[in-house]
Structures are given as structure tokens and as C-alpha cells.
Amino acid sequence: MEIISGKDLAKEKRAYMAEQVVKINAEYGRVPHLVVILVGDDPGSVSYVKGKAKACDEIGIKNTTVLYDTSVSEEELLNKIDELNKDDLVDGILVQLPLPKHISKDKVIEKILPEKDVDGFHPRNVAALYLKKEGTIPCTPKGIIELLDSANIEIEGKRAVVIGRSDIVGMPVSKLLLDRNATVTITHSRTKDLASVTKEADILVAAIGKANFVTANMVKEGAVVIDVGVNRNLETGKLCGDVFFDDVKDKVSYITKVPGGVGPMTITCLMENTIECFLKRAKK
Ligand code: NAP
């Protein structure tokens, strides 16, 4: 069994991007600028936003965090996005989710200019992915493909099973795997006899949000397993994935760990998307 380390790959990619940003600065006279909007002080969101700021600093991307109290109105937030859309010195805009109930997530996402939508959540970017047009690919699915590629895992012709059908992970990663000519099955909470489906997978992607859900009896001998889940183990208090690592580790050929797997690659792909958004606008 080999571990595909997202931590190591992220380190490598970030070093490359740091050099890229130096060159960008020399050529265009400024570095890419990412603006992250955080509403409220949910500990999970605060920690994600800090992780994003740290990655920006590491790479040399300019990073601004705009903080709002949970009482901020939808209108005020939309006006801020409008202002950032019009600001030529802003390349990427990200609104940290979830948002308070009185603010429409859809309205907020749709307000961000698709060219500055570094998360790839705007309907135009979602459509671009499904229609194979140019657009921004969401960070976590993009990171998963990069992890597979880093370990030279062949995707074409393989049977891939994705557990989960969310807009941010399950669906887009399924499309990316399909585009790489895997035969893809998408499973979800209504799938009957899930184990019989997951056992067919050469590549199994778990994006469920349930601690240690995937056990050895659900995995084929020699499978490649990508664990997207980020859960808190209630007994140990530690972070854990959707895959019961110790149970499946002797059965798989490759596996990612939590933490240190998909997570670092999500933030790294956000950095990549910010640089891509900068370059696309700069070249226009
Ligand atoms: P989500 O929106 O809650 O979607 C979970 C999916 O899992 C749903 O499609 C759901 O099916 C399915 N599911 C739930 N119970 C199931 C069951 N018993 N059997 C089969 N399928 C089941 O979650 P998400 O946003 O995709 O995130 C999934 C996990 O990945 C979470 O732990 C999240 O924290 C983590 N995550 C990590 C990163 C990272 O960078 N590492 C990024 C994003 C998310 P239905 O559609 O039928 O409800």
C-alpha cells in the first residue's frame, strides 16, 4: 500500500507557484490578489480562511480578508461583491460558506463575476465544466485528479465509484473522472447495497461526511482510495476521514490520509485558480 500525500504534493506545487508569482510580478508589475469574504465567526470557517491566507502568504499572492458580522444584510454583501467585481486589482473573490440563513447563497455566488470566481461555483463555471468549455474547475475535485496524476494512476478505462453527489465534490469529481475516460458510478444515501457497488471500484472516491464510513468489506483488493471527508472523531477528538483507514489499508494499492490528503490540495488548487484567473484577465 502506498500513501498519496497531498501534503507533499501541495508543498511541491506551492514552491512552483511561488516562482510563478515572482515572474508574474516582473511581467505585469503586480501579484495576483485574492479577496476572501467571511461572514460570522464559525470556528471551521475561520480556520479555513486562515489556511487560505497562510497559503497566499507562502506563495506571494496578495490576500485580503473582508470580515462581516452575521448581522450583515444580503444587500450589503452583494454591494461589496459588486465593488470587488469592478476593482481591476482584484483577481479572485471567494465567499466562505456556509452563510447565515438570511443571505441567499445562490444570489451571492451568482453575483461574483465568473472570471473572478476562484471556487468555480458560479453557474457559468459549473456549465463550463459540464460542457467542456473553458472555466474555473472547483478546487477539491481538481485536487483529487492532481493527486491521482501525481501517483501516475491511470484513470482511463478504470471503474470509478464516487460516494456522494454534492455540487462541490461528488458531482464535479465524477465529471472530471468521466472526462478522463473512467467508467463512473455516482452513489448516494439512497443507493441500495452500496458495498456491492463500491467493491467494483478500481478508484473509489469517498465524499460523504461520515467518520470512518468506508470499511474493508466495501473496498476491492488493490483499489485506489481517495478520502475527501473531514470529520471529527467524537471519541478521540481528532480529525478523520470518511474511510476507516486502519481497516482498509492492507487491502488497497493507494490511499490518501486525513489530514494530509485532499485537504492541502484543495487550498493549493485555490491558489492555482487565483493565478489562472489573474492570467486570463491579464491576457485579455
Ligand atoms: P454533502 O453536501 O453533505 O454531501 C454528502 C453526500 O454524501 C450526499 O450526496 C449524500 O447523499 C451522501 N451520503 C450521505 N450519507 C450516505 C450514505 N449513508 N451512503 C451513501 N451516500 C451518503 O457533503 P460534501 O460537501 O460533498 O462533503 C463531503 C465530505 O467531504 C465532508 O466531510 C466535508 O467536510 C468534506 N470536504 C472536504 C474537503 C477538503 O478539502 N478536504 C472539501 C469539501 C468537502 P444524498 O445526496 O442522497 O443526501
Side-chain angles (χ1 to χ4, degrees), residues 3 5 23 36 73 95 98 107 122 169 178 182 192-193 195 212 216 256 265 272-273 280:
I3 307 250
S5 169
K23 287 184 194 148
V36 176
S73 69
V95 179
K107 272 194 199 166
H122 188 283
V169 190
L178 181 65
K192 293 227 162 67
D193 193 7
N212 298 331
T256 60
M265 282 309 293
E272 279 185 353
N273 284 353
K280 274 185 213 161

Side-chain angles (χ1 to χ4, degrees), residues 69-109:
D69 192 77
T70 35
S71 62
V72 68
S73 69
E74 186 180 89
E75 194 190 355
E76 196 178 339
L77 192 56
L78 294 174
N79 286 341
K80 182 69 193 176
I81 294 171
D82 202 31
E83 180 193 314
L84 296 169
N85 280 341
K86 288 177 183 148
D87 186 341
D88 256 353
L89 299 177
V90 170
D91 306 288
I93 305 167
L94 182 156
V95 179
Q96 183 65 43
L97 301 175
L99 287 168
K101 285 200 174 65
H102 66 278
I103 299 175
S104 157
K105 181 186 89 174
D106 289 348
K107 272 194 199 166
V108 166
I109 290 173

Side-chain angles (χ1 to χ4, degrees), residues 149-191:
D149 285 343
S150 75
N152 292 318
I153 289 156
E154 212 184 323
I155 301 175
E156 179 156 331
K158 294 289 162 62
R159 180 84 194 263
V161 175
V162 177
I163 318 179
R165 55 176 165 181
S166 70
D167 292 338
I168 62 165
V169 190
M171 291 305 291
V173 79
S174 301
K175 178 64 168 76
L176 291 176
L177 288 163
L178 181 65
D179 288 347
R180 294 286 295 269
N181 296 320
T183 301
V184 184
T185 305
I186 305 168
T187 64
H188 45 77
S189 67
R190 273 13 109 71
T191 299

Side-chain angles (χ1 to χ4, degrees), residues 202-224:
D202 302 310
I203 299 170
L204 180 63
V205 178
I208 314 151
K210 290 201 162 114
N212 298 331
F213 181 88
V214 176
T215 46
N217 66 319
M218 297 171 74
V219 175
K220 179 165 121 176
E221 194 80 44
V224 174

Side-chain angles (χ1 to χ4, degrees), residues 3-201:
I3 307 250
I4 312 176
S5 169
K7 203 174 150 195
D8 291 352
L9 181 60
K11 203 172 156 195
E12 211 178 281
K13 293 221 160 227
R14 288 179 196 192
Y16 171 77
M17 282 189 273
E19 287 173 17
Q20 206 184 354
V21 167
V22 170
K23 287 184 194 148
I24 284 176
N25 198 13
E27 189 173 346
Y28 299 98
R30 70 176 186 93
V31 298
H33 181 195
L34 172 67
V35 178
V36 176
I37 300 178
L38 173 63
V39 181
D41 58 359
D42 168 71
S45 296
V46 170
S47 135
Y48 280 131
V49 169
K50 277 191 185 152
K52 287 163 190 171
K54 195 168 155 248
C56 283
D57 290 344
E58 204 182 312
I59 294 166
I61 291 175
K62 184 177 171 192
N63 159 69
T64 307
T65 305
V66 181
L67 297 173
Y68 283 110
D69 192 77
T70 35
S71 62
V72 68
S73 69
E74 186 180 89
E75 194 190 355
E76 196 178 339
L77 192 56
L78 294 174
N79 286 341
K80 182 69 193 176
I81 294 171
D82 202 31
E83 180 193 314
L84 296 169
N85 280 341
K86 288 177 183 148
D87 186 341
D88 256 353
L89 299 177
V90 170
D91 306 288
I93 305 167
L94 182 156
V95 179
Q96 183 65 43
L97 301 175
L99 287 168
K101 285 200 174 65
H102 66 278
I103 299 175
S104 157
K105 181 186 89 174
D106 289 348
K107 272 194 199 166
V108 166
I109 290 173
E110 282 167 34
K111 189 74 179 174
I112 300 171
L113 263 188
E115 293 79 14
K116 297 191 180 189
D117 166 37
V118 280
D119 258 338
F121 293 165
H122 188 283
R124 221 176 79 191
N125 282 319
V126 175
L129 173 64
Y130 289 93
L131 298 171
K132 287 200 197 170
K133 304 272 189 244
E134 201 184 295
T136 301
I137 295 169
C139 306
T140 304
K142 186 175 180 174
I144 292 170
I145 300 296
E146 290 187 5
L147 282 165
L148 292 170
D149 285 343
S150 75
N152 292 318
I153 289 156
E154 212 184 323
I155 301 175
E156 179 156 331
K158 294 289 162 62
R159 180 84 194 263
V161 175
V162 177
I163 318 179
R165 55 176 165 181
S166 70
D167 292 338
I168 62 165
V169 190
M171 291 305 291
V173 79
S174 301
K175 178 64 168 76
L176 291 176
L177 288 163
L178 181 65
D179 288 347
R180 294 286 295 269
N181 296 320
T183 301
V184 184
T185 305
I186 305 168
T187 64
H188 45 77
S189 67
R190 273 13 109 71
T191 299
K192 293 227 162 67
D193 193 7
L194 182 64
S196 72
V197 184
T198 56
K199 261 195 305 209
E200 300 260 303

